[in-house]
């Protein structure tokens, strides 16, 4: 009810704003805000927004932080052609998040290059706690660029998945964070 009320208030306030103003319903839904849970909430809040903003562009995204891997679960209301699906892609994660203190200890290693491999192997920080992170650094240090986890191989499949989904459903997709 709060989600609906907030959006109803925002929609009413900006009803006469220029068409260049767009709404994004929720940035990076995650945890309990799964794609399946958000689908009916999105449908209802869009219905309410359309009362005062019938042609306003609305961005909305799937769960798991707007992950392309969640697209198959996303259901958009029929007949609304001014919805844009927003996705985020942070891969290769240990390149984009290196040194991110809020994600320590697995992101503590710095000096990760794009694309890999580095000319000189990079020793991961000794505080890494997950074995798959050590595996990632092992692959980063030894795999050729075309297969390296710190290269385009890390995100091309996600971009292709988004492209395929967009073409299948005739819906635009926007990578808002990349």
């Amino acid at each position: 009810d709060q989600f609906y009320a907030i959006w109803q208030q925002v929609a009413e306030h900006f009803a006469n704003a220029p068409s260049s103003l767009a709404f994004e319903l929720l940035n990076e839904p995650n945890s309990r805000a799964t794609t399946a849970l958000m689908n009916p909430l999105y449908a209802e809040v869009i219905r309410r927004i359309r009362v005062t903003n019938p042609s306003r562009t609305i961005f909305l995204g799937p769960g798991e932080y707007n992950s392309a891997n969640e697209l198959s679960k996303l259901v958009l209301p029929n007949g609304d052609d001014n919805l844009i699906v927003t996705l985020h892609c942070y891969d290769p994660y240990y390149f984009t998040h290196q040194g991110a203190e809020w994600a320590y200890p697995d992101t503590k290693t710095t000096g990760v290059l794009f694309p890999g491999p580095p000319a000189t192997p990079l020793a991961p920080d000794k505080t890494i706690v997950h074995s798959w992170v050590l595996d990632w650094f092992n692959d980063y240090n030894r795999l050729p660029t075309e297969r390296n986890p710190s290269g385009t191989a890390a995100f091309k499949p996600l971009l292709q998945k988004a492209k395929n989904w967009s073409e299948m459903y005739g819906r635009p997709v926007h990578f808002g964070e990349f």
Side-chain angles (χ1 to χ4, degrees):
D1 289 339
Q2 285 180 323
F3 185 64
Y4 299 147
I6 289 168
W7 272 109
Q8 196 160 340
Q9 184 178 8
V10 169
E12 289 169 2
H13 181 79
F14 289 105
N16 295 315
S19 62
S20 58
L21 176 73
F23 296 152
E24 181 177 2
L25 298 183
L26 184 62
N27 182 51
E28 295 190 342
N30 64 83
S31 300
R32 292 182 13 203
T34 64
T35 305
L37 178 88
M38 293 310 299
N39 284 330
L41 296 176
Y42 284 157
E44 178 59 20
V45 80
I46 290 167
R47 186 191 68 73
R48 292 180 186 207
I49 289 170
R50 292 296 182 228
V51 171
T52 56
N53 291 261
S55 59
R56 176 89 46 215
T57 299
I58 299 174
F59 289 83
L60 66 156
E64 296 299 320
Y65 303 92
N66 294 132
S67 172
N69 288 323
E70 288 285 303
L71 280 171
S72 64
K73 300 173 187 171
L74 184 65
V75 178
L76 301 179
N78 290 325
D80 193 326
D81 294 331
N82 211 0
L83 302 174
I84 299 175
V85 174
T86 185
L87 301 173
H88 295 175
C89 178
Y90 304 108
D91 294 325
Y93 185 82
Y94 299 106
F95 168 71
T96 63
H97 284 67
Q98 60 186 304
E101 293 177 9
W102 51 266
Y104 275 1
D106 287 343
T107 59
K108 198 168 185 178
T109 304
T110 59
V112 180
L113 303 174
F114 181 91
T120 304
L122 180 65
D125 190 273
K126 294 180 183 353
T127 61
I128 290 175
V129 295
H130 295 103
S131 61
W132 67 82
V133 179
L134 294 173
D135 293 342
W136 189 93
F137 278 101
N138 184 45
D139 289 346
Y140 167 69
N141 282 323
R142 67 177 183 78
L143 290 178
T145 300
E146 61 275 2
R147 293 185 15 238
N148 197 283
S150 186
T152 58
F155 57 82
K156 274 189 174 180
L158 293 173
L159 298 179
Q160 188 62 51
K161 184 179 286 193
K163 181 177 187 261
N164 293 346
W165 185 92
S166 176
E167 290 173 351
M168 176 183 237
Y169 291 98
R171 299 287 192 158
V173 171
H174 167 72
F175 273 89
E177 296 183 24
F178 184 77

